Amino acid sequence: MTEASVREFKMPDVGEGLTEAEILKWYVQPGDTVTDGQVVCEVETAKAAVELPIPYDGVVRELHFPEGTMVDVGTSIIAVAVGDGAAAEPVREAEAPAAPEAGAAPEAEAAPEGRQPVLVGYGVATSSTRRRPRKGTQAPAQATPPAAAAIQAEMNGHGPAAPVTRERPLAKPPVRKLAKDLGVDLATVTPTGPDGIITREDVHAAVTAAQAPEPSAAPAAQAPAPAPAAPSSAPVSYDTARETRVPVKGVRKATAAAMVGSAFTAPHVTEFVTVDVTRTMKLVEELKQDKEFAGLRVNPLLLIAKALLVAIRRNPDINASWDEAAQEIVVKHYVNLGIAAATPRGLIVPNIKDAHAKTLPQLAESLGELVSTAREGKTSPAAMQGGTVTITNVGVFGVDTGTPILNPGESAILAVGAIKLQPWVHKGKVKPRQVTTLALSFDHRLVDGELGSKVLADVAAILEQPKRLLTWA
């Protein structure tokens, strides 16, 4: 088998503007045969969880990263042997693991520039038991661990442990960050997780042991023992019983970057209007009984979305974006309607493509699919790209209104508050009516106050008198 017959599959750019993704799960292991289009792993980007298919046939030779690893886009994650000799290559590699043992550590150190070590774990039992014992067998051939590592292992709260000789201890990225913040060298920590993985509890136990009085350690180790806890700054005094540190990654990291970028790039203006939506609520109930909507989810959001689409049709300049590089305003002749959705992974904004061209039943179907897919965590990156305007329904949380931040690349976002029964002057008399508050934030670089006000007023007018969906559309 020649080197040219081994193909490296790189982490693709599965989302617009994304630079990294976390490997959530491997579906294959070294030695498995794969075919073109077969899903080999699931990764989580800053926007969604995505399954990655392999683009060719062959036999898996190596998995370069374990589950839980954050990998940059363009980095090779799996090696696949292709061609006539593909089936034989993994077998020879598996049958002769002892040959490279002496040089295994230098190879691991050079991993970022060349071949990556095969560390498959975090739940993939077969691959983890195949590779990790190989690392364990290196212990007799390696030099004994430093005195500081041995003492720290006993101070880790788990008693005397086997020598830790791994050049790169096994730990998930959040655990590595925690150890870095607390000033703990992972090489000195005894792992208690499955397959030798270092857990957060192991790191905290190491910190607690390092901060214990000196007599608790062996006299011979008094000099080197404080080394791992040398940076006794603010992070070391972090009280785990009173505080919890959550790593910023994935959807949360992307949301934070997007919101900061939007808030400090586009000058936001937010306008509010309170409107009587009693007639809209009655129409919702009537549509639920309509056979055209059988099996479809009909709710106030459907009519609010349609009202916004009609308002955009009457005021098309609101559906635009600001091109800073070209110093141009890009007016969109289509509407990809974004719907902000709270999911277990965080806030995402998938959008309905060409929503302006859909009938009301088609819009209801698209909304239902969008919401169910988002709740299942299966929203694709493509579904979150190319949005032109967004709706965020804060009313589901019982909130009256808010000042929404623009989705990057868009010029307007409509927030819908809770619909409540309130006293309202109707036909000259105070009556209980269904009332809500709408808030429209827009980019003041390209949307003047007059345009923003017209759009918000049109949405409110339609919700107050839903028959305008016919007269204005």
Side-chain angles (χ1 to χ4, degrees), residues 311-312 315-320 388-389 411-412 440 442 446-447 451-452 455:
I312 292 173
N315 305 275
D317 289 344
I318 193 74
N319 190 45
T388 63
V389 66
S411 63
L440 182 72
F442 50 87
L446 63 157
V447 180
L451 176 59
V455 171

Side-chain angles (χ1 to χ4, degrees), residues 286-462:
E286 292 175 3
L287 292 178
K288 289 181 179 179
Q289 308 302 321
D290 194 314
K291 63 180 182 179
E292 295 294 329
F293 292 87
L296 299 177
R297 184 177 181 182
V298 179
N299 55 23
L301 180 61
L302 171 63
L303 295 183
I304 293 170
K306 191 64 176 178
L308 178 59
L309 292 172
V310 172
I312 292 173
R313 183 175 180 178
R314 286 166 54 83
N315 305 275
D317 289 344
I318 193 74
N319 190 45
S321 63
W322 181 274
D323 189 335
E324 181 66 29
Q327 286 295 290
E328 295 175 340
I329 294 174
V330 184
V331 180
K332 313 293 176 64
H333 302 300
Y334 59 91
V335 181
N336 290 344
L337 181 62
I339 304 295
T343 72
R345 287 191 173 94
L347 176 68
I348 62 173
V349 188
N351 60 76
I352 300 173
K353 308 299 183 187
D354 294 324
H356 67 287
K358 294 184 181 294
T359 63
L360 198 59
Q362 291 173 340
L363 188 61
E365 182 179 5
S366 298
L367 274 172
E369 292 176 353
L370 180 148
V371 172
S372 61
T373 302
R375 287 177 177 173
E376 294 171 1
K378 298 298 183 181
T379 302
S380 67
M384 293 181 280
Q385 297 173 7
T388 63
V389 66
T390 294
I391 296 176
T392 177
N393 185 10
V394 298
V396 296
F397 307 109
V399 176
D400 290 335
T401 189
T403 54
I405 296 178
L406 294 169
N407 206 30
E410 301 178 11
S411 63
I413 179 172
L414 177 70
V416 182
I419 299 175
K420 299 179 179 180
L421 198 63
Q422 297 183 19
W424 192 263
V425 178
H426 177 67
K427 296 182 179 179
K429 297 181 180 180
V430 177
K431 297 181 179 180
R433 304 286 287 181
Q434 299 279 5
V435 177
T436 189
T437 300
L438 306 175
L440 182 72
S441 291
F442 50 87
D443 186 344
H444 215 348
R445 292 176 299 179
L446 63 157
V447 180
D448 294 331
E450 179 185 12
L451 176 59
S453 300
K454 285 182 176 180
V455 171
L456 185 58
D458 280 356
V459 174
I462 293 172

Side-chain angles (χ1 to χ4, degrees), residues 29 43 64 81 93 121 138 175 192 195 225 240 251 253-254 266 276 282 309 335 356 364 389 408 455 461:
Q29 55 185 313
V43 302
H64 294 322
E93 186 181 25
Q138 296 176 14
V175 177
T192 62
D195 298 320
T240 60
V251 175
K253 182 177 180 180
D276 176 6
K282 290 181 179 179
L309 292 172
V335 181
H356 67 287
V389 66
V455 171

